[in-house]
């Protein structure tokens, strides 16, 4: 019966408040009907790297960077001379920074040799935001796995730590001098098991020969929340792609590369990424808002 349950706006005032205050997409699907790692791989590489399930455990995870993989968003940016980016993480998994270990390590020797310049903790992000020291692109990884205090909003767990963490991130950006130049994208790698009535649509295969056990990587997974925050967005905006192709996680890398001015002919991230719709059209205002809340109402302990 828990599959049919949901959370009310009163229970989660932070994420619902941001959705009301800025923009929410009601047609954003995870990139395939699977788990954390394949869906994150779509967001960072344009494909699931031919995997069907997680690859974050055991020797598979430990030795993952030892083998050649498809390039990541950060490698594409580096290849185009764009180096002003950083990863901010909350926890390590098996002694490694999860996103860096799976999707970037071994691709850029300079980054491997100078980790501190490109990888920091999530508290450093809040300090950098308040001080106006953020890079052009930041990737934020929550405490997605921990004995307690996880901030990933995973259904069934205590969601209050996620609310507190999200409020802290927003409030740091809102208080910083670069607020008017900030676009904050909040989404989830997979849906967490809650029922949704919207059937996932089909999408372009990542690469023509991508097939695994009869699955062609051309079916999206269930819808996930996607919220976009910026002073250039009208209150209570609801957006969709407006195209035959719905938003999925490859829209993140497509929007970032489009924003940096990298032509699609230089992406080399496969067909799914090449055809992914971008969401910069959600920025509709001619002037930046000055009425965005400085703080958010954080719920009490569950």
């Amino acid at each position: 019966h828990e599959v049919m349950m949901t959370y009310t706006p009163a229970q989660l005032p932070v994420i619902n408040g941001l959705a009301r205050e800025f923009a929410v997409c009601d047609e954003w699907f995870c990139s395939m009907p699977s788990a954390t790692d394949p869906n994150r791989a779509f967001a960072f590489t344009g494909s699931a790297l031919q995997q069907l399930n997680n690859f974050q455990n055991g020797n598979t995870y430990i030795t993952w960077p030892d083998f050649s993989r498809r390039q990541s968003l950060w490698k594409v940016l580096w290849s185009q001379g764009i180096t002003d980016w950083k990863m901010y993480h909350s926890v390590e998994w098996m002694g490694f920074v999860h996103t860096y270990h799976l999707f970037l390590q071994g691709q850029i020797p300079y980054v491997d040799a100078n980790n501190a310049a490109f990888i920091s903790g999530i508290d450093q992000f809040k300090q950098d935001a308040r001080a106006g020291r953020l890079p052009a692109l930041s990737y934020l990884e929550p405490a997605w796995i921990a004995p307690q205090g996880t901030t990933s909003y995973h259904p069934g767990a205590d969601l209050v730590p996620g609310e507190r963490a999200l409020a802290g991130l927003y409030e740091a950006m809102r208080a910083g001098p670069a607020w008017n130049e900030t676009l904050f994208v909040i989404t989830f790698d997979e849906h967490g098991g809650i029922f949704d009535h919207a059937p996932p649509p089909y999408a372009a295969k990542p690469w023509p020969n991508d097939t695994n056990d009869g699955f062609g990587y051309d079916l999206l997974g269930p819808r996930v929340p996607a919220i976009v925050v910026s002073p250039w967005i009208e209150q209570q905006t609801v957006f969709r792609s407006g195209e035959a192709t719905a938003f999925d996680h490859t829209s993140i890398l497509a929007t970032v590369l489009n924003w940096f001015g990298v032509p699609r002919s230089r992406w080399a991230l496969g067909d799914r990424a090449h055809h992914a719709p971008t969401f910069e059209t959600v920025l509709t205002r001619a002037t930046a808002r000055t009425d965005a809340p400085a703080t958010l109402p954080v719920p009490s302990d569950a």
Side-chain angles (χ1 to χ4, degrees):
H1 69 281
E2 291 183 355
V3 172
M4 305 302 295
M5 297 176 69
T6 187
Y7 299 92
T8 68
Q11 288 175 302
L12 302 176
V14 173
I15 195 168
N16 281 278
L18 290 174
R20 286 192 306 270
E21 193 67 39
F22 299 99
V24 62
C25 180
D26 65 348
E27 197 179 59
W28 188 300
F29 297 83
C30 56
S31 295
M32 65 178 284
S34 184
T36 294
D37 292 343
N39 277 297
R40 293 192 187 195
F42 267 102
F44 308 140
T45 74
S47 80
L49 304 178
Q50 299 236 57
Q51 301 297 307
L52 290 178
N53 213 318
N54 286 333
F55 37 94
Q56 62 191 25
N57 295 299
N59 286 332
T60 298
Y61 176 71
I62 293 170
T63 62
W64 190 263
D66 297 340
F67 300 89
S68 297
R69 308 288 177 186
R70 291 168 179 168
Q71 66 175 343
S72 66
L73 163 66
W74 299 282
K75 175 61 183 297
V76 176
L77 291 174
W78 192 273
S79 299
Q80 301 302 310
I82 301 167
T83 62
D84 189 20
W85 44 260
K86 202 165 189 178
M87 296 179 180
Y88 295 90
H89 67 102
S90 300
V91 295
E92 291 186 353
W93 174 240
M94 295 176 60
F96 301 103
V97 176
H98 182 264
T99 301
Y100 166 70
H101 185 70
L102 288 182
F103 304 111
L104 182 57
Q105 187 174 345
Q107 295 189 5
I108 307 173
Y110 183 86
V111 173
D112 291 340
N114 297 274
N115 276 183
F118 298 94
I119 301 173
S120 291
I122 203 78
D123 288 337
Q124 185 64 51
F125 171 84
K126 289 183 281 189
Q127 295 177 31
D128 290 347
R130 291 182 180 275
R133 295 193 302 262
L134 287 178
L137 173 66
S138 301
Y139 170 70
L140 311 180
E141 184 175 279
W144 56 277
I145 188 165
Q148 59 184 7
T150 55
T151 59
S152 65
Y153 278 91
H154 202 295
D158 180 4
L159 272 59
V160 171
E163 287 278 279
R164 288 176 174 164
L166 182 56
L169 295 172
Y170 167 79
E171 290 170 5
M173 287 181 274
R174 179 66 179 89
W179 167 243
N180 282 353
E181 288 75 51
T182 298
L183 181 71
F184 182 31
V185 181
I186 306 159
T187 189
F188 298 82
D189 48 37
E190 36 97 353
H191 73 299
I194 298 298
F195 169 79
D196 184 36
H197 69 279
Y202 284 87
K205 291 187 66 168
W207 294 89
N209 294 327
D210 278 11
T211 301
N212 193 330
D213 198 23
F215 180 63
Y217 296 95
D218 55 352
L219 178 66
L220 300 183
R223 290 191 302 178
V224 293
I227 298 165
V228 182
V229 174
S230 168
W232 299 90
I233 296 174
E234 295 285 4
Q235 288 177 304
Q236 300 185 35
T237 294
V238 180
F239 68 102
R240 296 181 175 183
S241 72
E243 304 176 16
T245 301
F247 287 122
D248 81 300
H249 298 328
T250 53
S251 292
I252 296 174
L253 62 82
T255 300
V256 168
L257 291 171
N258 189 55
W259 168 57
F260 273 117
V262 181
R264 294 194 182 222
S265 60
R266 298 182 185 175
W267 293 6
L269 292 170
D271 295 336
R272 175 78 72 86
H274 184 81
H275 294 290
T278 57
F279 52 85
E280 67 275 1
T281 55
V282 75
L283 305 170
T284 59
R285 290 183 54 89
T287 58
R289 288 170 49 192
T290 59
D291 61 347
T295 60
L296 297 171
V298 179
S300 58
D301 288 330

